[in-house]
Structures are given as structure tokens and as C-alpha cells.
Amino acid sequence: MTQEEMRHISQIASNFQFEGNLMSAEPWGNGHINDTYLLTYEIGKMGCIRVILQKMNKKVFPRPVELMENIVNVTAFLHDKIAERGGNPYRETLNVIPTKEGMPYYVDSEHEYWRSFVFITDATCYETVERVEDFYQSALAFGRFQCLLADFPAEKLHETIKNFHNTKSRLEDFKKAVREDVAGRVSQVGDEIQFVLDREADARFFTDLIEKNELPIRVTHNDTKLNNIMIDNNSRKGICVIDLDTTMPGLAMYDFGDSIRFGASTGEEDEKDLSKVSCSMELFEAYTKGFIEGCEGKLTKQELELLPMGAKIMTYECGMRFLADYLQNDIYFKISREEHNLDRARTQFKLVADMERKWDQMHAIVKKYS
Ligand code: ADP
Ligand code: GN1
Ligand code: MG
């Protein structure tokens, strides 16, 4: 960070209930959405304490006040549940550190929203699965998250991004991006566009069932990537679910599916060499086992049967979002190279095609643990 940036961060930080001397600040993590910093404070002779400071992405989340109300309510609820179960609520859920005025966010002079969380020490967010057991542990934790929130009053939650996993409306947005072709990139990606259009029926699959009231609406996380879970460095257990910006009413299949899309891939989300990308059945099985266990029997027979569909639809939806963003000049997801979003879209489509080939095997695995 430049000295100028450091001064800025330090000024923002001075508005929070932090104590001690700010020793260092650095950009942190690999999220695509918010700007995350790790700050280290020295408190007298007591040693160093770290905190997370985040600039929220206002373009993606246009109503930050509502969003923070959700996070405060959800984390307070989880805090109590975890304490009741004998867990450590400062480690097993996010904890918001308020501003000096007692607010859960700070608004700076440019009208940007900032927030802070207790830093979870001795835990890691993985970008790829290093051990199958870690993926199983992440599944247990995401399943448990859904289970702990089963009696959270869902009507209290604001919809932070409208139609977030409404794949039908995502497809409409995608088609609009193709029609408008603002970046003049449509002609290069005919095959990828056709891949999306060939699967229109998948885009409507969940929305049709929801309209007919045929699926239970639960409180779900909706962004269950492996790097949104902290794995304890010592116990190797999935310790804390983070990135709660999209926690809203949704389907159990969304949380299952988004984890598979990211974590069961044999390649990274932005891998350029597609020969490295496939959906690993070993990882699919580990996650399926963990997620079903973590949900503690709450999933219905129909939900269980639809888990593979969740994996396919979440992967398809994410691919079309990456491709739409590429067509719109990369305005949503952070990129660090040209064609980054196109590379990401291609890995997702490769995964979808692979899941279609492995469809029966995926169902057999789900059946084994149901
Ligand atoms: P984004 O929405 O941009 O993905 P996240 O909230 O997921 O933002 O944070 C980005 C990264 O910052 C995470 O992947 C994780 O590595 C790190 N991080 C976020 N919150 C914490 C926390 N409370 N303790 C430790 N690390 C954190
Ligand atoms: C974004 O915030 P992050 O990096 O965990 C995105 C998800 C996508 C994901 C793809 C709010 O997640 O929906 O699946 O990137 N989050 C939002 O990697 O759009
Ligand atoms: Mg994240």
C-alpha cells in the first residue's frame, strides 16, 4: 500500500472501537466483491491484535444499511446458538466491531461504507481443496449453518441482491448483455453463448418449482465457496462461515450447489487450461456426506434428490454471470487480467458438461447418504 492509502485506512480505522496503536494494514484475502484489509494493533504490553476492515461494494450491494442489519441480526442469533451448544461464539461466527458511535458501519466522506469484524486467528480460507477431509469439514459447517438458522425469523431478512439465484432472471440479464454487446465481444464467444442458450430449461427449473410452492424456502448463505469458510489450522474443522452479505431466504440446493461448483472442481475457478477442470466424484461424495450430516436430517426427500440439480444449476448460473460480465466490460467481478471473466465462464461450462456426463453417478452418491 502507498503511504497515501495507509493514511486513508488509518483515518477510517480511527472511527471504530479499536484500541492500541495501528502497526500495519494490508490488503487481505481473495474475495471478488469487497475490499478487505487486515489491520494489526499493538495494545500496550499486551501484544498484537488483528482486525478485519472492509470497504463494502456499493455497486453490488446498493443498500448497505439493510445489509448490515441482516448481518447484525444473523450473527447475534448465531452467537447465542453457538454459546448454547457450548461452542466459542468469537470463533465460530463473525462478530461485528462497532464504530465509536455504536454503529455497525462507518460512512466516509465519499459516502463509502466500511465495517469491521473480529479477526479469526489460526484458521485459513482455502482457494482449492488440499485434502478431501477439508472439503468434507466445509460441508459439515455449511450444513450446520443452515441448520442453526432453521428457526431464524426469515421475515426479518432484507433481500440484499434481488433475484440473486433466480436463474431465469439471470438468463434474461445474460441475453440483454448479448443483445447490447457494449464491449463488442459477442462475436468472439459464440460457442459459449450457445452453451448457455442450449440450457434454457435448466434456468427455469427451480423458479418454476418455487412459483408452484413446491420447495421449502430456508435461510441460506447463497455464496458457499470454499474461501468463504475458515478452516481451523489445528483441528482442521470448518470453524466459521464468513461473507454473510448474501444470507437470505433461498433453497438448500443453492448452498450445496455453489460449494460443489467451486470446491469439487479439479481446477481453479479461473484455470486457463481446461484439461485440468472436471467435477471430481471423490470430492462430490465428500461434500454430499458432510452437507447431509450437517443439515441434521432437515432436508426433505425431494431436496435430497435435487442436490445434483443444485450443483449443475449453480455452476451454469455462475458461468453465465461471468460471461455476461465479460460482455459488459467487466463491471461486476474484480479481474486481474484480460479475459479473466471469460476464463472463469469457460471453467464453469466445462464443469456443467462434465456433470451432465456424470449425472447418474452424482445421483447414486446422493442416494447412498440420504
Ligand atoms: P468478498 O465478499 O470480497 O469475498 P469476504 O468477506 O469473503 O469478502 O472476505 C475476503 C477474505 O478476507 C476472505 O476470503 C478471508 O480470507 C478474509 N476474511 C474475511 N473475514 C475474515 C475474518 N473475520 N477473519 C479472518 N479472515 C477473514
Ligand atoms: C462472488 O464475494 P465472493 O467472492 O465470495 C459472488 C458470488 C459468485 C462468486 C464467484 C455477492 O463471491 O455470487 O458465485 O463471486 N458474490 C456476489 O466466485 O455476487
Ligand atoms: Mg468471499
Side-chain angles (χ1 to χ4, degrees):
M1 279 203 309
T2 62
Q3 277 201 328
E4 173 91 27
E5 284 169 327
M6 185 65 201
R7 257 197 305 277
H8 183 55
I9 291 294
S10 156
Q11 192 278 324
I12 301 292
S14 69
N15 295 284
F16 284 85
Q17 290 187 28
F18 300 152
E19 286 176 24
N21 289 324
L22 178 59
M23 304 303 287
S24 63
E26 56 185 303
W28 194 249
N30 277 311
H32 291 338
I33 303 294
N34 298 299
D35 291 345
T36 306
Y37 301 89
L38 174 66
L39 272 52
T40 305
Y41 282 83
E42 188 181 47
I43 310 181
K45 297 274 177 257
M46 288 168 56
C48 288
I49 290 259
R50 284 170 291 174
V51 293
I52 289 285
L53 183 67
Q54 264 182 343
K55 182 164 94 179
M56 295 160 66
N57 187 326
K58 242 187 358 187
K59 231 170 31 188
V60 170
F61 298 106
R63 291 181 300 280
V65 175
E66 290 187 357
L67 187 157
M68 287 311 291
E69 198 179 304
N70 279 1
I71 293 194
V72 166
N73 284 330
V74 166
T75 53
F77 186 91
L78 288 172
H79 192 104
D80 291 348
K81 283 260 165 172
I82 291 161
E84 267 169 37
R85 289 182 163 210
N88 177 352
Y90 286 98
R91 219 172 143 61
E92 294 170 33
T93 175
L94 284 177
N95 285 269
V96 174
I97 305 178
T99 65
K100 287 185 173 148
E101 294 185 339
M103 299 292 286
Y105 52 83
Y106 170 73
V107 191
D108 72 12
S109 55
E110 281 150 27
H111 220 74
E112 295 291 351
Y113 282 71
W114 296 78
R115 64 182 175 200
S116 172
F117 295 113
V118 169
F119 180 77
I120 297 158
T121 55
D122 302 311
T124 305
C125 289
Y126 290 93
E127 293 302 316
T128 47
V129 176
E130 287 178 7
R131 307 190 209 175
V132 179
E133 172 68 17
D134 288 348
F135 197 42
Y136 164 74
Q137 292 294 340
S138 82
L140 266 182
F142 278 127
R144 195 185 320 121
F145 177 84
Q146 209 168 93
C147 183
L148 289 178
L149 289 173
D151 51 350
F152 180 90
E155 67 284 356
K156 269 196 171 179
L157 286 175
H158 303 283
E159 200 178 355
T160 55
I161 298 181
K162 234 184 136 10
N163 291 326
F164 190 59
H165 282 316
N166 182 329
T167 315
K168 193 167 127 189
S169 95
R170 292 283 185 188
L171 181 63
E172 288 315 308
D173 296 346
F174 172 80
K175 287 182 180 169
K176 185 163 172 274
V178 174
R179 270 196 313 274
E180 292 178 350
D181 192 17
V182 292
R185 292 171 169 174
V186 162
S187 59
Q188 305 161 19
V189 291
D191 289 350
E192 288 80 1
I193 293 173
Q194 198 52 49
F195 188 94
V196 174
L197 299 179
D198 285 346
R199 287 160 183 78
E200 283 219 40
D202 290 335
R204 288 191 305 270
F205 187 85
F206 284 140
T207 52
D208 285 357
L209 288 173
I210 292 171
E211 272 167 31
K212 289 191 255 164
N213 279 325
E214 286 183 12
L215 291 173
I217 304 294
R218 305 181 180 276
V219 175
T220 49
H221 181 281
N222 299 307
D223 186 5
T224 52
K225 293 202 291 200
L226 183 68
N227 68 8
N228 283 332
I229 197 135
M230 306 226 45
I231 306 232
D232 188 285
N233 293 344
N234 299 311
S235 69
R236 297 296 282 217
K237 299 238 183 298
I239 188 98
C240 181
V241 174
I242 64 168
D243 202 347
L244 306 178
D245 295 331
T246 51
T247 301
M248 300 183 268
L251 302 180
M253 289 73 83
Y254 297 161
D255 280 5
F256 176 84
D258 200 49
S259 283
I260 297 297
R261 163 192 93 66
F262 190 87
S265 174
T266 51
E268 296 208 18
E269 192 185 59
D270 59 358
E271 176 58 61
K272 272 176 158 313
D273 178 357
L274 290 180
S275 70
K276 292 188 182 153
V277 178
S278 64
C279 183
S280 153
M281 288 299 103
E282 186 190 12
L283 292 172
F284 181 86
E285 177 156 0
Y287 196 90
T288 301
K289 178 172 185 287
F291 190 75
I292 294 175
E293 279 172 26
C295 286
E296 296 180 10
K298 289 206 166 59
L299 299 181
T300 64
K301 187 167 169 278
Q302 185 197 20
E303 285 177 304
L304 289 165
E305 279 166 5
L306 288 176
L307 291 179
M309 202 58 180
K312 181 178 168 193
I313 291 178
M314 286 299 97
T315 313
Y316 167 61
E317 179 190 278
C318 197
M320 84 169 83
R321 290 175 64 199
F322 286 142
L323 188 55
D325 199 34
Y326 178 69
L327 297 178
Q328 290 172 309
N329 241 333
D330 310 304
I331 51 175
Y332 188 94
F333 296 105
K334 288 187 194 171
I335 54 164
S336 46
R337 59 173 189 253
E338 261 188 48
E339 301 197 346
H340 207 162
N341 274 317
L342 176 58
D343 293 338
R344 289 171 177 151
R346 285 181 172 147
T347 61
Q348 303 308 292
F349 299 150
K350 175 84 196 284
L351 285 170
V352 169
D354 197 40
M355 287 177 196
E356 287 170 349
R357 269 189 299 273
K358 296 172 176 165
W359 204 231
D360 293 343
Q361 212 182 335
M362 286 163 73
H363 277 95
I365 291 169
V366 168
K367 203 161 170 210
K368 180 170 160 194
Y369 294 99
S370 298

